[in-house]
Amino acid sequence: MHPALDSDALAELRRPRPYPAVSVVMPTHRREPDNAQDRVRLRNLLARAAKAVQDDPSVTRERRADVLEQLERAAAEIDLVHAEDGLVIYAAPGEHQVWSVARTVPERVVVADTFLTRNLVAAQAAERPYWALTMAADRMSLWSGGPEQAVEHTADGFPLTRSLEDPDAERKEQVGDLPSSFRDEDARTFFRDAHEALRTVLAADPRPLYVIGEAPAVSLLEETGSLPQGTTSLHHGGLGRGPEAAVRKAVAPLLAAHEAALTATVVAELDAARGRREYAGGLDEVWKAVKEGRIRLLAVEEHYRAAVRDHGDHLEPVDSSDPGTRDDIVDEIVEQALETGAEVRFVRDDTLAGNGRVAAVLRY
């Protein structure tokens, strides 16, 4: 399964495909006993997708065989043992992809000339990824983190390592000339290399950065060169090699503080927009504004979902099993907002209880 979801990957997924491009979307479960149903549900959905392709008279025999084979290959790659909250499967002539997302998705099978990407878009917007640099005198590790896990980044020169052995250490210690592990010229070179590698990563994928290490290590990195605005430092040693659980534990309070600050900013911006009459709140107002491309900032509660029927002038809440239902209207709003250049912020449930669970600051 594809481990990383970024803007480049989403852009690639959005491009048109040769018909038929099949999208299978399925909610999954992380734990027993709920996950017992996932394998049966997956088998039924894949059979439904295969039947849709087989029964479509506009699909040639060659393309039908190709896409059915791609669905089989995708099924063989799926790992339900380590499932998250949703599974998205794509199959088209000559390709297949499987994505696991940490966000609930509706059950759907769609056959078109593009893949259904709105659930991945919403998952990425809600993910709030970060970088954590853990520093030791002999090792620099970079961690790619999100709500559920942190994975060590093993590209772009990371991890950086060096030997601390000094063949002349005994003599230097006798004469009092043995420098600190963070103060000799080798250390400065090591930290310069780390700073340069970090700049490369952040230029390609900007995220909030957390710098973790002993106080002398943090100071040396700051002396080496400027860090992005908003970088948070934590004086905590012993994490140069992780492990992941310790890195996540160290970062957790910093993430909570960062989220609280962002939420306060969002609420303040919504209040100010209301005073300027540049505000939309609730599904109907926000849906209308997003279709017109007027949203500058969209705020959505983390787990808010709504099944509706679109009557053109208003959205009617309905049961998700009703025919003609748009059962992922919130994710549609998120995708459309991002397509028109809006900033999207997910906030904790009940933060927008007085705003209809979804609200926006308008451009005009």
Side-chain angles (χ1 to χ4, degrees):
M1 287 197 275
H2 290 259
L5 181 62
D6 56 28
S7 299
D8 290 341
L10 286 173
E12 164 61 20
L13 288 171
R14 282 198 187 97
R15 69 172 175 81
R17 259 68 183 181
Y19 188 86
V22 180
S23 302
V24 178
V25 184
M26 180 184 118
T28 52
H29 303 84
R30 296 171 184 262
R31 298 175 182 83
E32 297 178 341
D34 295 331
N35 62 5
Q37 62 184 288
D38 290 349
R39 196 164 299 281
V40 174
R41 176 180 283 181
L42 175 62
R43 184 167 61 247
N44 291 340
L45 277 177
L46 290 174
R48 185 170 135 199
K51 187 175 188 303
V53 174
Q54 289 170 331
D55 293 348
D56 191 333
S58 67
V59 180
T60 65
R61 178 181 301 176
E62 291 78 14
R63 284 196 175 176
R64 182 181 300 117
D66 188 348
V67 172
L68 293 178
E69 181 183 356
Q70 297 299 334
L71 280 171
E72 290 180 2
R73 290 184 180 181
E77 294 178 9
I78 294 170
D79 178 11
L80 290 176
V81 174
H82 300 98
E84 296 181 279
D85 301 307
L87 184 66
V88 182
I89 305 162
Y90 296 130
E95 67 171 317
H96 66 274
Q97 299 188 32
V98 179
W99 295 86
S100 177
V101 296
R103 180 173 170 80
T104 301
V105 298
E107 183 176 295
R108 296 194 68 181
V109 173
V110 177
V111 181
D113 57 4
T114 59
F115 290 141
L116 182 71
T117 61
R118 65 176 60 106
N119 304 112
L120 290 185
V121 168
Q124 188 210 27
E127 193 175 44
R128 295 187 293 274
Y130 63 87
W131 294 113
L133 180 70
T134 57
M135 301 182 294
D138 60 346
R139 183 183 174 93
M140 298 279 196
S141 298
L142 187 64
W143 302 81
S144 174
E148 299 295 332
Q149 64 179 352
V151 178
E152 187 171 4
H153 184 72
T154 56
D156 304 300
F158 286 100
L160 282 81
T161 60
R162 68 167 181 146
S163 173
L164 295 181
E165 292 183 7
D166 185 341
D168 202 23
E170 185 176 349
R171 183 194 63 79
K172 290 180 179 179
E173 187 173 19
Q174 290 174 351
V175 300
D177 195 29
L178 185 64
S180 160
S181 297
F182 298 108
R183 289 300 171 192
D184 62 4
E185 189 54 39
D186 286 344
R188 295 181 184 280
T189 300
F190 183 54
F191 274 66
R192 278 195 297 270
D193 292 344
H195 187 273
E196 190 61 34
L198 183 61
R199 285 182 56 189
T200 299
V201 172
L202 293 174
D205 189 0
R207 306 180 190 178
L209 172 64
Y210 300 96
V211 173
I212 306 170
E214 296 178 33
V218 172
S219 296
L220 181 53
L221 186 71
E222 292 172 344
E223 293 170 11
T224 301
S226 61
L227 297 173
Q229 185 175 3
T231 296
T232 303
S233 299
L234 175 66
H235 294 168
H236 187 309
L239 297 179
R241 290 174 170 77
E244 179 215 4
V247 174
R248 289 184 60 205
K249 182 178 179 180
V251 172
L254 305 180
L255 292 176
H258 182 69
E259 182 180 345
L262 287 179
T263 298
T265 299
V266 168
V267 171
E269 289 195 47
L270 291 172
D271 288 343
R274 195 192 300 267
R276 299 191 306 268
R277 299 183 181 275
E278 296 175 354
Y279 168 87
L283 280 176
D284 269 334
E285 289 186 15
V286 172
W287 177 239
K288 181 175 185 294
V290 79
K291 288 193 296 183
E292 296 170 351
R294 296 169 56 209
I295 292 181
R296 179 175 65 80
L297 169 66
L298 176 69
V300 186
E301 287 189 358
E302 180 68 46
H303 297 104
Y304 180 48
R305 303 198 61 80
V308 301
R309 185 175 289 111
D310 188 354
H311 291 284
D313 58 341
H314 75 283
L315 300 174
E316 176 193 4
V318 295
D319 187 270
S320 60
S321 61
D322 289 355
T325 294
R326 301 179 82 149
D327 54 3
D328 58 352
I329 192 66
V330 177
D331 283 359
E332 286 190 56
I333 289 172
V334 170
E335 182 176 43
Q336 185 63 30
L338 289 169
E339 287 280 4
T340 56
E343 180 181 2
V344 176
R345 297 275 185 86
F346 282 83
V347 297
R348 289 187 182 277
D349 294 347
D350 295 329
T351 300
L352 304 174
N355 304 74
R357 310 294 179 184
V358 57
V361 177
L362 305 181
R363 294 189 172 101
Y364 56 91

